[in-house]
Amino acid sequence: EAQVTQNPRYLITVTGKKLTVTCSQNMNHEYMSWYRQDPGLGLRQIYYSMNVEVTDKGDVPEGYKVSRKEKRNFPLILESPSPNQTSLYFCASSLGRVTYNSPLHFGNGTRLTVT
Amino acid sequence: QKEVEQNSGPLSVPEGAIASLNCTYSDRGSQSFFWYRQYSGKSPELIMSIYSNGDKEDGRFTAQLNKASQYVSLLIRDSQPSDSATYLCAVGTGFQKLVFGTGTRLLVSP
């Protein structure tokens, strides 16, 4: 089954404790992206990657890191999480550049709570 | 001005009625337009994409695009209670990302 898989689904952590949220897709997609979703603010892009070893900042990259060492994987790293990073996170992928015939497909989400 | 604007709702319609969801965008260079449905606590699910002016129909859903007015809409015919969700409008700006609206919550009452 074609899908974007994120882990974990739920994560509660404390301020400053490094964490990684994994994302993997099995569709051979070139483009991958991370979004966070907050009430009233909608989905905001954190980072994106057009291909292996090619990553770039989105609208809210502060406090996050990503890497794209393999085409299928795009982990999101929080080196020193803070409470304002408490959010619902989505990984997404598309075949290539996001267009009407190459839409974004989302993973199931990771709900992160930082205390 | 927000890049993509939607009325937050809720939009309440009775079962069987037509639900009309609207979205405006600010970037005239936008090329691709999408409607996603999101149930509470779940991930966004693509309903339709459109890129040219006019209507595009898929089952009970019709997307309408008017680039001159910078306006996208989604019509849901014969609305069902299972259509109750938040509908996200997304616009492809050509800068390798989608810009999302904050969504319109739709409630379909039996």
Side-chain angles (χ1 to χ4, degrees):
Chain A
E1 180 188 353
Q3 60 186 0
V4 180
T5 302
Q6 292 178 233
N7 280 298
R9 293 292 311 277
Y10 301 92
L11 180 57
I12 300 174
T13 190
V14 296
T15 299
K17 185 176 182 182
K18 181 180 178 180
L19 64 92
T20 299
V21 184
T22 64
C23 174
S24 181
Q25 50 91 6
N26 62 1
M27 297 171 279
N28 201 35
H29 283 176
E30 289 191 348
Y31 181 93
M32 298 186 74
S33 183
W34 277 101
Y35 284 83
R36 61 177 289 175
Q37 188 174 35
D38 303 288
L41 297 177
L43 282 159
R44 294 179 293 166
Q45 190 182 50
I46 303 171
Y47 270 95
Y48 65 91
S49 169
M50 279 302 301
N51 214 323
V52 175
E53 302 292 1
V54 180
T55 63
D56 210 342
K57 296 177 181 179
D59 296 318
V60 287
E62 293 78 21
Y64 304 94
K65 286 176 59 177
V66 293
S67 68
R68 188 94 180 269
K69 294 186 172 63
E70 304 167 282
K71 195 172 186 178
R72 62 183 293 128
N73 296 324
F74 191 45
L76 179 69
I77 303 155
L78 285 71
E79 295 268 2
S80 183
S82 62
N84 65 11
Q85 293 179 297
T86 292
S87 187
L88 179 58
Y89 291 86
F90 289 104
C91 180
S93 71
S94 66
L95 185 61
R97 178 171 164 264
V98 182
T99 64
Y100 76 96
N101 61 357
S102 175
L104 272 182
H105 298 274
F106 285 84
N108 285 335
T110 296
R111 186 168 292 280
L112 172 65
T113 302
V114 183
T115 61
Chain B
Q1 182 189 7
K2 290 184 180 177
E3 292 182 80
V4 179
E5 294 211 50
Q6 296 180 256
N7 189 316
S8 61
L11 172 67
S12 295
V13 300
E15 183 175 357
I18 295 175
S20 177
L21 304 159
N22 304 315
C23 170
T24 59
Y25 61 95
S26 60
D27 185 352
R28 283 197 171 274
S30 300
Q31 300 170 354
S32 303
F33 307 86
F34 306 84
W35 282 100
Y36 284 82
R37 176 176 63 197
Q38 186 176 26
Y39 295 110
S40 180
K42 303 295 185 182
S43 60
E45 171 193 10
L46 179 69
I47 297 175
M48 294 189 70
S49 61
I50 187 169
Y51 70 99
S52 60
N53 280 326
D55 296 359
K56 180 182 178 183
E57 187 174 320
D58 184 358
R60 296 187 295 112
F61 299 97
T62 298
Q64 299 175 319
L65 175 61
N66 184 324
K67 289 186 177 180
S69 300
Q70 295 174 247
Y71 178 92
V72 191
S73 66
L74 179 70
L75 300 178
I76 306 174
R77 290 180 299 281
D78 188 23
S79 295
Q80 301 297 309
S82 58
D83 293 327
S84 297
T86 296
Y87 289 80
L88 306 174
C89 173
V91 176
T93 64
F95 287 99
Q96 314 300 347
K97 71 176 183 180
L98 286 188
V99 179
F100 285 83
T102 53
T104 298
R105 186 169 163 225
L106 174 67
L107 296 175
V108 181
S109 54

